[in-house]
Amino acid sequence: MIHFLRFAQVVLQFYKFAMRERHLDMYTAYKRASSKDYVSDYDREEGSARLLNGLGKEIGNPSWKRPLPHVLVATIASLLFGYHLGVVNETLESMSLDLGFSGSTMAEGLVVSTCLAGAFVGSLFSGWIADGVGRRRAFQLCALPMIIGSAMSASTKDLWGMLLGRLFVGTGMGIGPAVVALYVAEVSPTYVRGAFGSCTQIATCIGLLGALFIGIPAKDTAGWWRTCFWVSAIPAAVLALFMEFSAESPHWLFKRGRSAEAEAAFEKLLGGSHVKFAMAELSKSGPGDELDSVKLSELLYGRHSRVLFIGSTLFALQQLSGINAVFYFSSSVFKSAGVPSDSANICVGVANLFGSIVAMLLMDKLGRKLLLLGSFSGMAVAMSLQAMAATSFTSRSGALYLSVGGMLLCVLTFSLGAGPVPGLLLSEIFPNRIRAKAMALCMAVHWVVNFFVGLFFLRLLEQLGPLLLYAIFSSFCLLAVIFVKKNVLETKGKSLQEIEIALLPQE
């Protein structure tokens, strides 16, 4: 009797929803035909769900092994992101000699900043691309400029060819992170979404380390820097090819009114016994935005402005914590301690990778919010150590230990939460209707703040001194702790639709 009443309630809800959306003829027809099939019953016990399929048989969580290959293919974009961030570290000196701009700090800065400028442009359009052509095609469009840009950089004879190649690469880098975050969140089962989301950070770390290791012979082998750029075209081609055989995001398909294809994608990702429940959950968010496009003004000033504010502020605080100053200028600190630059970069990379692996193991156990709080708190301590190293009360040897230790601690604690969580969290808290475009705007904020921190760090270091500058970074980390505590919703164990309902204000 209880099951029958629950059944009746679910059928009534679906009927009301269909009537509200009757102007969507195709969608309404689909709902009337299939709503009975999507009925499922579930209890929540400490955040977990027991599901009943259409035959009344209890089923558990879907296997994580089904979506894993699709997630791994997607994270190739993150690997490329990390590789292209690190590829100029070891190759810049030999490259500048070959291309005739050795000794020009302006030219060297352009080689780095042109890539960031391209990334900003790519990130701005990433949401519109992902919504317009789908997640799979967006990955392929991300890989294409990376292949072209890598080939141009590897074969160029002058600085202008290198800059144009870096601009192309940067465009692909800008598209990649936003689409990866979207895709991984939308194809992952709820109970492992945090772990799968952390895979993107691990792939970025592997890309950085790969660039450092491949670039080691560049100083001693003539023309090796060209090989470093040619190598990056291989994973980009693999991404474009393998994405052709990967599943499309069911959320995107459903939003476009392609419900039958969304069912097929769910079956591929979760297994046939979980399709009905997954489709019923997806139906809670409505049919999508095909007849009601998302406008920029709606994101900035409308009912979605609060979640956009949370996402943008989180990315801004991530960059204002000073982490990129650590990544960009760690070599000089280690050099003053007598550590060679290549060894220093590898130490930073290993600390980053280790922390990212630990974060992957803890993400679905401790939750996103706790990891963020612990991460920013640890970074505040690390920056304070850096500031203490600059005081007159610290001996020279003590200052070196504090600087190196603080730097490694900062990288480690960053990789535990502040690094992997924001991209995953934002893809979770944005409603399906605006998810891609909102991610694009937040990633654009990320790149703008990233650019200005890198641009002004050395000048601020000269003007303010290390004590005050690192104290400012530490203050931003503490501000991030307060912001996360007051504004961030814990998303562990919740479906994307449950998160959307909890955060979205009523009309």
Side-chain angles (χ1 to χ4, degrees):
M1 184 65 180
I2 293 174
H3 289 295
F4 175 80
L5 290 175
R6 289 180 180 174
F7 176 88
Q9 286 179 333
V10 173
V11 171
L12 182 60
Q13 288 173 356
F14 274 91
Y15 175 77
K16 289 180 178 178
F17 178 79
M19 292 299 293
R20 280 200 310 269
E21 302 297 332
R22 60 184 179 274
H23 60 283
L24 296 169
D25 294 331
M26 292 179 62
Y27 180 76
T28 303
Y30 171 79
K31 290 292 293 180
R32 287 174 178 169
S34 59
S35 60
K36 292 181 180 179
D37 293 333
Y38 289 159
V39 175
S40 57
D41 188 23
Y42 60 97
D43 289 329
R44 288 180 179 83
E45 296 178 357
E46 298 178 352
S48 63
R50 282 169 50 237
L51 309 181
L52 300 178
N53 63 14
L55 300 176
K57 182 181 178 182
E58 186 175 318
I59 56 175
N61 287 319
S63 172
W64 55 268
K65 295 179 182 179
R66 280 179 170 268
L68 181 60
H70 307 273
V71 170
L72 292 179
V73 171
T75 56
I76 296 175
S78 296
L79 184 144
L80 286 163
F81 174 77
Y83 186 91
H84 284 293
L85 281 180
V87 72
V88 295
N89 282 4
E90 296 294 331
T91 60
L92 191 57
E93 183 180 338
S94 56
M95 179 201 311
S96 62
L97 289 171
D98 283 359
L99 299 182
F101 60 91
S102 179
S104 172
T105 55
M106 175 63 73
E108 292 177 354
L110 282 172
V111 170
V112 176
S113 60
T114 301
C115 191
L116 297 179
F120 171 72
V121 174
S123 67
L124 273 180
F125 291 99
S126 61
W128 280 261
I129 292 171
D131 270 348
V133 300
R135 313 317 191 215
R136 290 169 59 239
R137 293 290 177 257
F139 277 114
Q140 293 173 326
L141 289 176
C142 155
L144 184 61
M146 286 191 173
I147 295 171
I148 296 172
S150 298
M152 292 176 68
S153 299
S155 58
T156 186
K157 302 296 183 183
D158 54 33
L159 173 62
W160 293 108
M162 174 58 68
L163 294 180
L164 188 57
R166 294 291 284 169
L167 186 65
F168 269 90
V169 165
T171 304
M173 285 174 62
I175 297 172
V179 180
V180 172
L182 286 171
Y183 184 80
V184 172
E186 291 175 348
V187 304
S188 302
T190 299
Y191 74 104
V192 290
R193 194 171 60 236
F196 282 2
S198 301
C199 289
T200 61
Q201 179 72 9
I202 293 174
T204 302
C205 297
I206 293 173
L208 278 165
L209 280 173
L212 294 174
F213 277 114
I214 292 173
I216 288 175
K219 294 179 180 177
D220 303 318
T221 306
W224 182 260
W225 65 268
R226 296 184 185 274
T227 303
C228 296
F229 283 101
W230 279 120
V231 165
S232 65
I234 298 173
V238 170
L239 173 63
L241 177 63
F242 279 39
M243 205 30 87
E244 192 66 30
F245 305 101
S246 298
E248 181 56 270
S249 162
H251 292 253
W252 180 79
L253 290 169
F254 185 79
K255 187 168 68 169
R256 298 297 292 259
R258 295 156 63 176
S259 302
E261 293 176 59
E263 283 188 50
F266 270 132
E267 185 170 1
K268 192 173 184 179
L269 292 165
L270 305 178
S273 58
H274 295 271
V275 171
K276 294 175 182 178
F277 177 77
M279 288 297 293
E281 279 287 289
L282 196 54
S283 299
K284 294 177 183 178
S285 61
D289 63 348
E290 289 311 292
L291 298 182
D292 183 19
S293 60
V294 181
K295 297 178 181 178
L296 185 62
S297 59
E298 181 185 352
L299 294 177
L300 297 178
Y301 311 111
R303 64 199 298 255
H304 302 297
S305 59
R306 178 174 176 264
V307 287
L308 189 71
F309 168 74
I310 293 172
S312 300
T313 305
L314 198 57
F315 263 135
L317 289 171
Q318 180 199 58
Q319 299 304 305
L320 292 170
S321 68
I323 185 61
N324 277 326
V326 171
F327 280 128
Y328 293 156
F329 306 105
S330 60
S331 297
S332 59
V333 175
F334 279 97
K335 189 176 181 180
S336 64
V339 181
S341 63
D342 53 351
S343 301
N345 290 328
I346 289 172
C347 287
V348 170
V350 169
N352 196 13
L353 178 61
F354 175 75
S356 300
I357 293 173
V358 174
M360 180 186 70
L361 299 175
L362 298 178
M363 192 75 73
D364 291 304
K365 295 180 180 179
L366 299 182
R368 288 58 151 160
K369 188 170 183 176
L370 186 59
L371 285 181
L372 274 179
L373 292 172
S375 177
F376 279 120
S377 299
M379 291 176 72
V381 173
M383 288 299 178
S384 298
L385 293 177
Q386 296 272 64
M388 288 172 57
T391 63
S392 57
F393 304 104
T394 308
S395 64
R396 179 174 176 80
S397 59
L400 289 176
Y401 283 122
L402 286 173
S403 293
V404 174
M407 186 166 292
L408 290 176
L409 178 63
C410 184
V411 172
L412 179 64
T413 52
F414 170 82
S415 62
L416 287 172
V421 170
L424 169 66
L425 185 69
L426 267 57
S427 62
E428 293 176 323
I429 67 173
F430 290 137
N432 190 31
R433 180 170 173 269
I434 67 162
R435 187 173 294 135
K437 296 178 177 68
M439 280 292 295
L441 292 178
C442 290
M443 288 302 301
V445 170
H446 165 275
W447 284 111
V448 169
V449 180
N450 184 346
F451 174 79
F452 282 109
V453 169
L455 182 64
F456 291 115
F457 174 74
L458 290 178
R459 181 174 290 275
L460 290 173
L461 191 61
E462 292 176 357
Q463 298 291 326
L464 303 178
L467 175 60
L468 182 56
L469 183 57
Y470 284 115
I472 291 173
F473 285 146
S474 181
S475 299
F476 274 116
C477 292
L478 293 175
L479 182 63
V481 171
I482 297 171
F483 179 82
V484 169
K485 194 170 183 63
K486 289 187 175 182
N487 295 281
V488 172
L489 172 76
E490 179 54 66
T491 58
K492 178 189 72 170
K494 296 181 174 70
S495 72
L496 296 180
Q497 287 69 42
E498 289 171 332
I499 299 166
E500 178 175 340
I501 292 168
L503 277 175
L504 192 63
Q506 296 300 314
E507 294 280 10

